Amino acid sequence: AKSSGRNNFQFYTKEMNATSGERLSLESDLWHALKNDELFLVYQPQIDLRDGTVIGMEALIRWQHPKRGLIAPMDFIPMAECNGLIIPIGIWVLETACRHNLQLQKEGLPPIRVAINLSARQLSDRNFVESVQSVIEAIGLDPHYLELEVTESMVMHNVEDVVVTLNDLNKMGIQLSLDDFGTGFSSLAYLKRFPIDRLKIDQSFIFNCDSDPGDAIIAQTIIALAHGLKIKVIAEGVEKSEHLSFLKKNGCDEGQGYFISRPLTFDDLRMFLLTGKNP
Ligand code: C2E
Ligand code: CA
Ligand code: CA
Ligand code: CA
């Protein structure tokens, strides 16, 4: 048993070396990905649960790697946060999402908001507010159609500075949402200090909201809390018609998830908005 334990250990260290080597090359590849146009955004529609109209979309980043194929954000965003590349990548995301959203409006579609995900490092960057301001001005999107998503753990960190930043963004007319709500450290005491427009109920509470009484009460409580604070509430991870009926019955404002639509390429999104049909 001992010797097999040792073998396992050796095997494990080899694997670890391979992995850190891979990580190194992936890291240098990411430097090139931006300028080689290997990054792109997909958009997941968000609907008003009262009438089913599309009122927004969330931009989600993808990396089409020339050798490794499609890479999910979880496999490169943490690395980009570590090495600082998240700053230029974040600006690219903001520019691209605003440009696409304005293009839809220019094509005559009913205006909707686009939400982008922020990382902790962007929010604490001293130039953040200024760079957001200059991007939306350069592109010419009405800031009311831009939404920034932050998580509880991001705002709990360095609360005083974050309040200033979020207030600046709010004054510009940008919408702010609190992502993955319910999974981070409790921010209930701070909730009223942040100019948050929307809470996003984390998908982990939605998956079994129709069958697990605990998840149901959590979702209902988040909806009541949000409405009590005059904040909108959106559910993510809406995968089944049962989720949709639960959320409608309980007064949730908006929804997003595979049952409504998967994240779509920009062209497929445009088709979805034009025809109401999922390509
Ligand atoms: P998130 O912001 O919580 O995004 C929701 C994730 O759930 C997305 O995964 C989405 O594709 C997936 N999803 C949507 N509907 C459903 C559903 O009905 N069921 C299930 N099981 N999943 C669903 P994705 O695109 O892989 O993104 C993962 C995370 O990566 C995001 O989590 C976000 O934290 C981060 N991320 C994505 N794009 C960006 C970006 O541009 N910048 C930054 N900083 N982070 C990003
Ligand atoms: Ca999000
Ligand atoms: Ca606001
Ligand atoms: Ca989320």
Side-chain angles (χ1 to χ4, degrees):
K2 252 188 185 166
S3 78
S4 91
R6 195 167 295 147
N7 283 340
N8 281 342
F9 179 71
Q10 280 172 355
F11 176 71
Y12 187 53
T13 49
K14 255 190 213 154
E15 285 290 289
M16 282 188 43
N17 287 337
T19 312
S20 60
E22 257 177 51
R23 195 176 299 137
L24 254 179
S25 81
L26 200 62
E27 189 161 356
S28 62
D29 287 354
L30 190 55
W31 288 93
H32 302 289
L34 242 186
K35 65 175 196 308
N36 291 349
D37 272 341
E38 294 167 19
L39 301 178
F40 66 101
L41 297 179
V42 289
Y43 296 95
Q44 186 170 38
Q46 302 171 324
I47 61 166
D48 184 329
L49 291 177
R50 284 167 313 179
D51 59 9
T53 54
V54 178
I55 37 70
M57 54 184 171
E58 179 176 2
L60 296 157
I61 197 168
R62 300 289 181 265
W63 180 6
Q64 186 65 53
H65 190 286
K67 293 206 186 71
R68 293 168 198 242
L70 193 62
I71 305 181
M74 285 315 194
D75 295 323
F76 67 95
I77 290 294
M79 186 173 82
E81 287 191 40
C82 259
N83 64 21
L85 265 179
I86 193 66
I87 300 297
I89 289 175
I91 290 181
W92 175 85
V93 169
L94 180 67
E95 282 172 351
T96 307
C98 289
R99 191 159 31 75
H100 277 156
N101 199 20
L102 187 66
Q103 189 178 327
L104 295 173
Q105 294 183 8
K106 286 185 170 160
E107 288 173 14
L109 287 158
I112 61 175
R113 54 172 205 267
V114 66
I116 67 170
N117 291 283
L118 297 184
S119 77
R121 190 141 170 180
Q122 284 174 279
L123 197 62
S124 59
D125 181 48
R126 322 162 118 271
N127 300 316
F128 182 65
V129 172
E130 219 179 309
S131 58
V132 172
Q133 174 100 54
S134 61
V135 167
I136 53 179
E137 271 174 23
I139 289 172
L141 181 74
D142 178 340
H144 293 98
Y145 296 114
L146 174 64
E147 178 172 40
L148 301 178
E149 297 193 0
V150 298
T151 62
E152 288 170 276
S153 48
M154 282 166 60
V155 296
M156 296 312 293
H157 201 81
N158 212 345
V159 176
E160 299 309 316
D161 290 348
V162 169
V163 168
V164 173
T165 302
L166 296 183
N167 278 330
D168 286 347
L169 295 165
N170 182 44
K171 273 182 235 145
M172 288 162 59
I174 293 168
Q175 302 196 44
L176 300 168
S177 70
L178 202 47
D179 201 1
D180 304 339
F181 190 76
T183 62
F185 298 104
S186 171
S187 55
L188 294 186
Y190 293 104
L191 209 47
K192 56 176 189 179
R193 287 190 56 196
F194 296 123
I196 293 291
D197 298 287
R198 192 170 281 100
L199 289 187
K200 294 192 82 170
I201 309 177
D202 189 67
Q203 47 191 39
S204 61
F205 303 118
I206 304 302
F207 292 150
N208 298 312
C209 67
D210 56 322
S211 55
D212 180 322
D215 288 336
I217 194 82
I218 290 173
Q220 287 163 335
T221 304
I222 294 176
I223 294 168
L225 173 71
H227 287 166
L229 293 169
K230 307 262 187 299
I231 294 173
K232 293 264 187 198
V233 59
I234 180 166
E236 54 183 8
V238 180
E239 291 190 349
K240 308 190 292 183
S241 68
E242 288 85 353
H243 296 158
L244 202 60
S245 24
F246 172 90
L247 293 163
K248 280 188 192 174
K249 196 176 73 194
N250 287 286
C252 186
D253 303 293
E254 300 168 357
Q256 168 185 359
Y258 295 164
F259 185 70
I260 298 153
S261 171
R262 299 236 160 207
L264 304 170
T265 62
F266 182 61
D267 285 337
D268 284 349
L269 172 86
R270 181 198 282 113
M271 203 57 79
F272 181 74
L273 294 174
L274 280 168
T275 64
K277 288 200 191 82
N278 216 315

